[in-house]
Amino acid sequence: MKIPKAYDPNKKEGKIYKLWEKTGYFNPDNLPENHKDPFSILMPPPNANGSLHIGHSLFITLQDIMTRYNRMKGKKALWLPGADHAGFETQIVFEQKLEKEGKSRLDMEREEFYEKVWDYTQKNREVVKDQIKKMGASCDWSRDTFTLDEKIVETTHNTFKKMADEGLIYRKKRLVNYCTNHQTAFSDLEVEHVRRKTPLYYIKYGPFILATTRPETKFGDTAIAVHPEDRKYRKYVGKEIRIKTLLGEKKIKVIQDEAVDREFGTGAIKVTPAHSEVDYEIWQRHKDEMPDPIEAIDKDGKMTDVTGPYAGMSVEKARKKVVQDLKKKDLLQRIDEEYEHNLSVCYKCGKKIEPILMKQWFIDIKPLAEPAIEAVKSGKIKIIPDNYKKVYLHWMENIKDWNISRQNWWGIEIPAWKCQNCSTEDDEKWVITAGKKPKKCPQCEENNLERDGDVFDTWFSSGQWPFATLLNESDLEQYYPTSVMETAYDILFFWVARMIMLSLYKTEKIPFKTVYLHGLVRDENRDKMSKSKGNVINPIEIAEEYGTDALRMSLIVGNLPGKDVVISENEIKGYRNYVNKIWNMFRFLMFRCEDYEPGKNPKLSNKDKKLIDEFNEKAEEVTSHIENFEFSHAAEKIYHYSWHRFADEIIEESKPILDDKNKKAGRQEVLITIFTGILKLAHPFIPFVTEEIYQKMPLEDKKETLMIEEWPI
RNA sequence: GGGCGGUUAGCUCAGCGGCAGAGCAUCUCGCUUACAUCGAGAGGGUCGUGGGUUCGAAUCCUACACCGCCCACCA
């Protein structure tokens, strides 16, 4: 057998993956009969709107390690892959693409746009699929699921209908986070807060001086609020006072509310329920003392008609003008330019989020949160690392109703129709179905129904991923609840928390037993990788240059749960060397064991036996690390043992022994046994090179693939 | 404002009560028929700071400093 000096991953990996696919063992239904107990992981579906990045490689590697390990352990291992339509995100990516071509979504009908995005995602899906394969993922492609597959859409609709029937869905005009740039509302999670310096304006309101950063919202003022214990304003409380405004005189009531901070500004604030979260809540508490909210800003971020001469102006322009005019009319006391506060911005475009009153669909979330809290508190769901348990519980215990409607085109449409006959402005009559358009309104019995048009927050459907993907009965029975949910810590609330709530609600079972959270991948300078910084490591290019196995090792060693992982090309190069080292151990063995016959069981010396025992001890350690989700330690141990113990010492010591006719056979047996053991232990981490070698090893009872070999110990 | 994590060799990080560790990088020597993508060897650390517990502290407690992250309605 002629064996090249260096292992060339690029030449081999594609072929090896094809071999694995050919065996069919990625699909647990095809595994040999002795694989009984199920093990299941659902892949967090990568977005079908771009290509694989290093973060994907990380989770693919972690999940593949768990899957391959459990498969070798004799489990009926299922790793179910998928792709995410990623509603809002994809719409933006696609709109940017259109913009580059000089086109816009608004030039076409909604159906046409939808079809185009559909085609786009389907193409991308194929690209991503090939890239996942390139990473060596041993997932079951026969169960590959797209988040817009019929069964997922149906499930989503069903859940919505069930919730609506049980009174957990409501549609209400409420203050929502609205991005005037993207023209959609968001849930609280899509809003980011940035620290900004904003001028704080002190405006005269009759006898009051009120501090605000947003003078342009003054047209929406419906009260002045002071703290209940603040004595200095006591004489005004409960009274309507007359004030001079830019639009003439106005009467406004003074109320008391705990939410007012006496230290802020002058201790009295203007209440603008239509454009501020705090103020909205004050209004909720004082409805009988205050008029209805006045909307001064519309969905386009323009001033409304109630603002008189300012109507139609953008918020920014209006603010400048209002400040100017206040000065002119001597209504501005002073400006504090040094004021710093938190500004809400869109997580995607970074532009200011405008809180405005809108009708949206909400989930009454508390009833869902309670069992989700219990599941984690009781330990039925274990979170690794465990400090995230606290983070999860804190969020869950303070959860707010979830706005699930988005004003986008790309996504799953909300199955709700409004009866045009029965609805009034204040009292809308909606018909909610499990997907199909209703024939008539149950009230007026006529068909004058109009679809809502909004789509679901993508996380509402992905939150149902665990049971939606396993819908056929035998899968649900065997693989649900799944064994592990492996994902990044930054989507703990977005996704993991929602999966727990929605799964418990719909199936009355936990969706997974363990949540393993990994960190973000950073460059040598600990910077987050981003295209604009130019520090991205493209996993596909790296895999082509150094091999997927090397990339996988570098992603795993030094990577602890919940912590960010730093990788560099230099490090990857180091693991490329390691992979080659393994290759050369194999080369040495083949060179010196040409006359080795498997299955002969030669007599072993005491020293030989000791070496085997030593390996078994190592294998036990590695196994226990994997069982405890300590993949970094497991990989490091295999690395260290195979290189610095097996190659540096055992092989070196064996050289003279292999020259000794009497001891040779026993030593060959030992070396081959231990090395085969190393291949097995290392397989989940570096599947390609180990498989390539395994295929060429002279072994008794050799399996079709190392993938289904028995785990040592 | 609340919470979490971190601070150990040049870099990335283990170790978490008993002689300071690994990988990468650096330096020296070596192309010896497995491998120069290699081998043999070397240098390099008051374990963030102060206090405490202990026979013994990188490890436990406590205060502080700095870095990072998350949550939060401070207008």
Side-chain angles (χ1 to χ4, degrees):
Chain A
M1 193 187 332
K2 215 183 159 190
I3 306 167
K5 274 187 171 186
Y7 170 68
D8 183 354
N10 225 359
K11 259 194 194 155
K12 306 283 188 188
E13 288 177 357
K15 281 184 204 159
I16 298 167
Y17 197 89
K18 284 212 180 81
L19 166 86
W20 290 332
E21 282 197 296
K22 218 177 101 194
T23 66
Y25 295 138
F26 287 175
N27 181 343
D29 300 335
N30 300 331
L31 284 169
E33 296 242 314
N34 60 343
H35 293 251
K36 283 200 187 89
D37 293 341
F39 172 85
S40 53
I41 297 190
L42 303 174
M43 184 187 293
N47 292 353
N49 61 23
S51 57
L52 219 63
H53 59 69
I54 196 87
H56 294 121
S57 305
L58 171 59
F59 81 59
I60 291 167
T61 305
L62 283 164
Q63 290 165 33
D64 196 39
I65 289 169
M66 297 186 215
T67 307
R68 285 182 189 270
Y69 165 75
N70 280 287
R71 194 184 287 120
M72 289 174 81
K73 267 284 194 183
K75 295 269 174 66
K76 205 170 172 188
L78 168 65
W79 182 19
L80 191 148
D84 195 351
H85 74 284
F88 168 67
E89 303 253 343
T90 300
Q91 176 156 333
I92 289 185
V93 170
F94 194 76
E95 284 195 79
Q96 280 166 353
K97 190 169 120 65
L98 283 179
E99 206 182 309
K100 270 185 202 152
E101 296 162 8
K103 293 185 220 157
S104 159
R105 156 172 82 99
L106 303 167
D107 301 338
M108 50 189 102
E109 290 295 311
R110 183 166 174 160
E111 287 70 29
E112 189 191 349
F113 178 79
Y114 193 93
E115 267 169 40
K116 284 201 160 123
V117 182
W118 179 271
D119 291 343
Y120 176 71
T121 53
Q122 293 316 299
K123 263 181 221 149
N124 258 307
R125 225 184 126 181
E126 288 309 308
V127 173
V128 169
K129 192 167 166 176
D130 283 342
Q131 293 178 326
I132 295 173
K133 290 182 178 184
K134 176 89 188 151
M135 293 295 113
S138 66
C139 51
D140 179 9
W141 293 108
S142 75
R143 285 178 170 85
D144 189 19
T145 308
F146 185 50
T147 57
L148 289 182
D149 282 352
E150 213 172 296
K151 69 172 180 182
I152 305 292
V153 174
E154 268 175 27
T155 306
T156 307
H157 284 156
N158 278 327
T159 305
F160 182 71
K161 173 85 166 79
K162 179 174 150 76
M163 290 182 140
D165 290 346
E166 293 173 10
L168 292 169
I169 298 286
Y170 64 92
R171 182 178 167 84
K172 195 172 140 190
K173 189 164 186 176
R174 251 190 56 172
L175 200 68
V176 295
N177 311 301
Y178 195 82
C179 176
T180 51
N181 179 37
H182 289 127
Q183 298 270 306
T184 180
F186 283 126
S187 74
D188 295 336
L189 283 177
E190 277 104 348
V191 179
E192 279 180 4
H193 302 276
V194 288
R195 196 97 191 129
R196 287 264 175 87
K197 214 182 249 181
T198 325
L200 184 63
Y201 304 93
Y202 287 77
I203 305 173
K204 295 178 185 168
Y205 276 69
F208 287 84
I209 306 281
L210 305 184
T212 180
T213 55
R214 302 205 58 190
E216 76 283 5
T217 63
K218 73 188 303 297
F219 307 105
D221 296 346
T222 50
I224 289 172
V226 298
H227 194 272
E229 280 152 32
D230 198 336
R231 299 179 138 219
K232 65 180 180 250
Y233 297 118
R234 190 157 281 176
K235 62 176 170 181
Y236 299 111
V237 170
K239 300 208 173 101
E240 282 206 329
I241 57 163
R242 193 172 283 277
I243 59 169
K244 240 172 89 183
T245 75
L246 291 177
L247 304 179
E249 291 218 340
K250 179 177 172 177
K251 272 185 177 170
I252 193 161
K253 196 161 182 185
V254 181
I255 60 167
Q256 292 178 314
D257 195 279
E258 297 272 350
V260 180
D261 179 356
R262 296 163 67 176
E263 305 302 314
F264 173 78
T266 56
I269 60 165
K270 64 194 209 57
V271 185
T272 320
H275 301 291
S276 151
E277 184 70 32
V278 198
D279 297 6
Y280 181 80
E281 282 169 18
I282 291 177
W283 172 58
Q284 295 292 304
R285 290 190 286 265
H286 301 274
K287 275 189 177 172
D288 44 347
E289 301 170 62
M290 288 169 65
D292 284 344
I294 300 168
E295 292 163 63
I297 300 166
D298 69 11
K299 285 196 287 190
D300 298 316
K302 300 261 168 66
M303 305 308 288
T304 63
D305 290 344
V306 304
T307 67
Y310 307 94
M313 285 185 194
S314 71
V315 168
E316 289 73 23
K317 206 176 155 195
R319 181 177 310 161
K320 272 187 203 146
K321 188 81 178 32
V322 164
V323 170
Q324 263 178 27
D325 294 350
L326 284 171
K327 274 185 192 161
K328 267 188 219 159
K329 299 203 171 174
D330 191 29
L331 289 171
L332 189 66
Q333 191 216 23
R334 66 188 175 96
I335 305 172
D336 174 4
E337 298 281 356
E338 293 301 302
Y339 185 67
E340 250 189 54
H341 75 136
N342 278 335
L343 201 63
S344 300
V345 296
C346 169
Y347 83 107
K348 205 71 201 170
C349 66
K351 298 213 169 103
K352 209 178 85 225
I353 287 286
E354 203 59 69
I356 58 175
L357 285 174
M358 276 185 90
K359 279 185 181 147
Q360 299 279 339
W361 295 97
F362 291 89
I363 296 182
D364 177 11
I365 206 80
K366 286 273 184 226
L368 270 68
E370 274 163 32
I373 289 168
E374 184 50 32
V376 170
K377 252 190 191 160
S378 67
K380 263 199 257 169
I381 297 176
K382 193 181 161 202
I383 300 180
I384 299 171
D386 62 3
N387 56 303
Y388 276 93
K389 182 175 171 176
K390 247 193 199 170
V391 178
Y392 167 90
L393 288 174
H394 180 260
W395 185 78
M396 204 52 113
E397 278 157 6
N398 295 289
I399 199 165
K400 285 195 192 162
D401 284 357
W402 178 11
N403 170 13
I404 52 167
S405 41
R406 298 289 177 275
Q407 292 68 58
N408 295 320
W409 284 358
W410 175 243
I412 300 176
E413 270 191 76
I414 296 176
W417 285 261
K418 185 160 82 175
C419 178
Q420 302 297 321
N421 297 349
C422 306
S423 299
T424 62
E425 174 64 27
D426 292 332
D427 188 19
E428 296 179 338
K429 296 291 178 203
W430 288 87
V431 187
I432 289 170
T433 74
K436 286 201 185 100
K437 185 178 176 176
K439 290 207 177 68
K440 57 184 185 182
C441 164
Q443 212 170 319
C444 66
E445 308 238 323
E446 275 180 56
N447 182 355
N448 191 4
L449 299 161
E450 205 167 280
R451 187 150 199 176
D452 179 31
D454 281 4
V455 296
F456 285 115
D457 178 352
T458 312
W459 298 106
F460 179 69
S461 53
S462 11
Q464 303 177 51
W465 194 238
F467 54 91
T469 47
L470 295 171
L471 264 192
N472 86 64
E473 248 168 58
S474 86
D475 273 4
L476 204 60
E477 193 180 310
Q478 283 189 79
Y479 302 113
Y480 186 89
T482 58
S483 314
V484 182
M485 182 70 230
E486 196 291 319
T487 192
Y489 66 70
D490 61 347
I491 51 174
L492 178 63
F493 306 142
F494 278 110
W495 197 38
V496 179
R498 268 94 177 249
M499 280 191 285
I500 297 176
M501 288 191 285
L502 292 170
S503 300
L504 281 167
Y505 173 68
K506 196 72 181 286
T507 69
E508 286 171 16
K509 282 185 190 166
I510 53 166
F512 28 72
K513 296 166 195 148
T514 302
V515 176
Y516 179 98
L517 299 169
H518 64 256
L520 307 174
V521 183
R522 294 174 184 274
D523 73 2
E524 298 128 293
N525 305 319
R526 299 211 110 264
D527 280 334
K528 218 166 160 174
M529 293 192 184
S530 73
K531 276 181 204 156
S532 53
K533 276 189 212 146
N535 61 346
V536 280
I537 290 189
N538 179 327
I540 305 304
E541 283 169 15
I542 282 287
E544 271 163 15
E545 187 163 359
Y546 299 107
T548 297
D549 291 332
L551 173 63
R552 289 170 59 124
M553 275 302 274
S554 72
L555 285 167
I556 294 305
V557 177
N559 179 359
L560 272 79
K563 286 191 180 169
D564 292 350
V565 55
V566 174
I567 70 162
S568 63
E569 192 158 339
N570 221 351
E571 194 191 346
I572 297 165
K573 208 187 269 178
Y575 290 112
R576 186 267 319 259
N577 296 353
Y578 171 63
V579 167
N580 193 56
K581 183 75 186 180
I582 297 221
W583 178 255
N584 275 287
M585 295 175 205
F586 161 66
R587 197 160 167 259
F588 171 82
L589 290 189
M590 293 307 95
F591 192 64
R592 302 299 302 269
C593 300
E594 264 182 329
D595 53 345
Y596 170 77
E597 286 174 44
K600 247 185 137 185
N601 296 324
K603 217 178 100 194
L604 303 186
S605 70
N606 282 339
K607 175 78 188 169
D608 287 337
K609 285 178 193 157
K610 262 192 189 158
L611 290 174
I612 302 244
D613 289 345
E614 187 194 339
F615 167 80
N616 287 336
E617 252 171 59
K618 226 8 104 172
E620 250 172 65
E621 288 173 29
V622 169
T623 307
S624 113
H625 282 311
I626 297 179
E627 292 283 347
N628 292 317
F629 297 90
E630 296 160 350
F631 305 111
S632 172
H633 293 160
E636 223 178 319
K637 261 193 185 142
I638 297 164
Y639 177 98
H640 203 265
Y641 174 80
S642 57
W643 196 327
H644 300 302
R645 178 63 185 144
F646 183 71
D648 289 352
E649 295 170 359
I650 300 177
I651 285 186
E652 289 307 320
E653 284 166 20
S654 299
K655 283 178 179 171
I657 300 172
L658 290 170
D659 289 332
D660 184 328
K661 267 186 222 155
N662 299 322
K663 297 179 182 165
K664 184 178 172 183
R667 185 46 67 110
Q668 284 180 336
E669 183 71 26
V670 169
L671 291 177
I672 298 253
T673 305
I674 294 180
F675 186 64
T676 308
I678 290 172
L679 291 179
K680 291 180 189 174
L681 292 181
H683 181 68
F685 301 87
I686 45 172
F688 288 107
V689 70
T690 48
E691 180 73 64
E692 176 66 19
I693 294 172
Y694 178 82
Q695 291 296 328
K696 297 187 160 75
M697 289 283 284
L699 299 172
E700 211 190 1
D701 302 324
K702 200 154 94 173
K703 307 271 196 321
E704 274 169 277
T705 157
L706 178 53
M707 225 166 58
I708 56 158
E709 262 287 0
E710 254 175 62
W711 187 256
I713 303 301

